[in-house]
Amino acid sequence: MGLIKTVYNQFIVKSYKNNLGKDVIISIIARGVNTLLSLILLSFSLKVLSPNDYGVWLTVSALYSWVTLFDFGAQNTLRNVLAIDLSSKNENNMRGTILTNSFAFTLLISVIFLILSTVLFNVCDFSTLLKIKHGNKTDINNLVFISLIIFGIKLFSNNYNTILTALQKAYMAIVISVISSLCTIIILVLAYTLKQDISILNYGLAVLVTDVVFSFLLPIIYLRQMKFKYNFSLRLLNYNYFKKNLLGNNIKFFILSSLVVLTFFSTNLFIGIILSYEDVAVYNLVNKYFNIITLFSIVALNPIWTKVAMYYGTNNYLEINRLLKKTQLYFLFFILFGLTLLLFDTRFYSFFGHDKIIVGRYVSTVAMLSMLQLFYNNIYAYFLNGMNAIFIQIIGFVIAAIIIYPCYYYFCHYLQMGVLGAFLVQIIVYIPNTVMFPIFLKRQLK
């Protein structure tokens, strides 16, 4: 109880007096609602789709993580540069130049990606590439193509959510996600009521179209209500400025993002290929439950990243150290939260999985430890991101990217550990990050 009281007083009560604390608290509430809606959607999905079809959908939707690589780190760079500019008291800020060049770059790569997606659709059989043995191949190919088109549009629309984060309004991105999730559930329930059989293609269309419409329009509407001035102008396009202030950081963040995707977001694809797409459904049910830890932690860390960037821009290392201590207290609280989740895991699987999926206690325990380790690593990674000190992260993720796939094959396939092996591998490959990140951050703050 003493620990909980300390966290509450230091991180919640005192923090709420500034914009950062308000952003964190509102984000946590919004994320809680959004997590509940995602669980309802998961439960409904397993009701209308077979575990195999749901596993296929999860694998296709996970391709978005690969698509985000095509922004070449632009969103992370925009967040840092814009946050520093907004913290400046200089009236002659560079906001217009920053936004014009960033938007122009992401628009260009979005158009290129859409063209490439169209070409791939006409020359590739996606169902064969993904080794999907069951289901309608035409529907699956169409679903992958539509997904790629919508993901390409989101490459550009993500700029607006990045602006909200730089303005310390990250919670609005989550609120928008809540609205999108709620509308998606309503549409699917109505479709199921009118027509009991929902194909994987129609299911995917409902989720994807709703998401892209809301993620594009609502941030624009909110920013206009805030009277945020974009100051877009073709005369502000400046290649020299882009090359000097944006491109260099873009490349660093692109390398880091590529490594993160290779290690974090390829699990669905790998499990589907070497095990089965039903195992993908099992993995994601467990991951969805314990990922609550990660979701709530990222809610807090996103605005902290922005705040660190602002402090770093003014060389205020004292405030960065104070913020780090508060965040470390927050992690201790989540250890207790993780143990609490472990007590109710079987009830969760039974209720939301409709008893279609059986999960062992060892799988849940290792999954919980994996998520806590991820949260711990993210604390230091986000602080380093805010200081543009990402070289050590690149080293850590290079190590992980090299060993993760041999480890997956060895533990999941050779030792026949299945989904348990997947979670165990995720702990093993990130041990170097767990050791290196805190040491490097401490050196940066000296």
Side-chain angles (χ1 to χ4, degrees), residues 285-299:
L285 180 64
V286 178
N287 190 67
K288 178 74 73 174
Y289 181 56
F290 288 102
N291 199 41
I292 294 173
I293 298 171
T294 307
L295 291 176
F296 281 112
S297 66
I298 290 177
V299 164

Side-chain angles (χ1 to χ4, degrees), residues 54-73:
Y54 185 57
V56 170
W57 160 248
L58 290 170
T59 303
V60 172
S61 60
L63 293 175
Y64 176 63
S65 301
W66 289 84
V67 174
T68 56
L69 293 181
F70 281 82
D71 80 349
F72 297 96

Side-chain angles (χ1 to χ4, degrees), residues 191-212:
Y192 183 71
T193 302
L194 296 174
K195 185 180 179 181
Q196 294 292 310
D197 182 28
I198 299 179
S199 68
I200 187 173
L201 177 59
N202 291 332
Y203 173 90
L205 280 173
V207 176
L208 292 167
V209 174
T210 306
D211 178 55
V212 74

Side-chain angles (χ1 to χ4, degrees), residues 118-130:
T118 304
V119 172
L120 284 174
F121 176 68
N122 286 282
V123 300
C124 295
D125 183 352
F126 295 119
S127 60
T128 301
L129 288 175
L130 297 175

Side-chain angles (χ1 to χ4, degrees), residues 407-428:
C407 286
Y408 272 144
Y409 185 83
Y410 181 74
F411 284 94
C412 299
H413 181 73
Y414 185 77
L415 295 182
Q416 298 184 348
M417 295 180 68
V419 174
L420 173 61
F423 284 113
L424 183 61
V425 167
Q426 290 172 12
I427 292 177
I428 294 171

Side-chain angles (χ1 to χ4, degrees), residues 50-283:
S50 67
N52 181 78
D53 282 348
Y54 185 57
V56 170
W57 160 248
L58 290 170
T59 303
V60 172
S61 60
L63 293 175
Y64 176 63
S65 301
W66 289 84
V67 174
T68 56
L69 293 181
F70 281 82
D71 80 349
F72 297 96
Q75 299 306 319
N76 290 329
T77 300
L78 174 61
R79 177 195 295 195
N80 283 2
V81 175
L82 185 59
I84 293 172
D85 186 72
L86 290 171
S87 66
S88 173
K89 296 181 181 180
N90 184 6
E91 291 295 331
N92 298 318
N93 57 46
M94 298 293 294
R95 182 190 307 176
T97 302
I98 293 169
L99 292 177
T100 298
N101 284 275
S102 183
F103 272 62
F105 177 71
T106 52
L107 177 61
L108 175 63
I109 59 177
S110 293
V111 171
I112 293 173
F113 180 80
L114 292 175
I115 294 172
L116 289 175
S117 298
T118 304
V119 172
L120 284 174
F121 176 68
N122 286 282
V123 300
C124 295
D125 183 352
F126 295 119
S127 60
T128 301
L129 288 175
L130 297 175
K131 293 188 177 181
I132 300 173
K133 300 176 182 178
H134 306 286
N136 188 311
K137 286 191 174 183
T138 301
D139 279 359
I140 292 171
N141 285 330
N142 289 333
L143 177 62
V144 174
F145 175 63
I146 293 169
S147 299
L148 291 175
I149 294 298
I150 290 178
F151 295 160
I153 295 172
K154 290 192 69 174
L155 280 175
F156 179 77
S157 67
N158 283 340
N159 282 298
Y160 295 101
N161 285 332
T162 302
I163 293 173
L164 291 175
T165 303
L167 290 167
Q168 296 189 51
K169 301 290 183 182
Y171 62 85
M172 276 308 302
I174 305 172
V175 171
I176 290 168
S177 181
V178 168
I179 297 171
S180 177
S181 297
L182 182 60
C183 290
T184 299
I185 292 171
I186 292 172
I187 291 171
L188 287 173
V189 170
L190 288 175
Y192 183 71
T193 302
L194 296 174
K195 185 180 179 181
Q196 294 292 310
D197 182 28
I198 299 179
S199 68
I200 187 173
L201 177 59
N202 291 332
Y203 173 90
L205 280 173
V207 176
L208 292 167
V209 174
T210 306
D211 178 55
V212 74
V213 169
F214 283 99
S215 64
F216 204 122
L217 297 180
L218 293 186
I220 297 175
I221 294 171
Y222 181 75
L223 287 170
R224 285 186 175 180
Q225 288 181 339
M226 287 181 63
K227 297 181 179 179
F228 178 79
K229 296 181 180 179
Y230 295 90
N231 299 326
F232 291 135
S233 175
L234 289 177
R235 63 182 178 80
L236 294 176
L237 285 174
N238 188 324
Y239 176 73
N240 290 329
Y241 174 84
F242 174 78
K243 181 179 179 181
K244 179 180 178 181
N245 297 280
L246 299 178
L247 185 59
N249 285 330
N250 278 11
I251 293 173
K252 289 189 293 184
F253 277 117
F254 168 69
I255 294 172
L256 179 60
S257 298
S258 301
L259 294 170
V260 169
V261 169
L262 282 171
T263 53
F264 276 110
F265 298 107
S266 303
T267 308
N268 285 344
L269 181 61
F270 201 80
I271 291 177
I273 292 174
I274 68 170
L275 297 176
S276 71
Y277 283 98
E278 288 188 13
D279 286 319
V280 173
V282 174
Y283 170 82

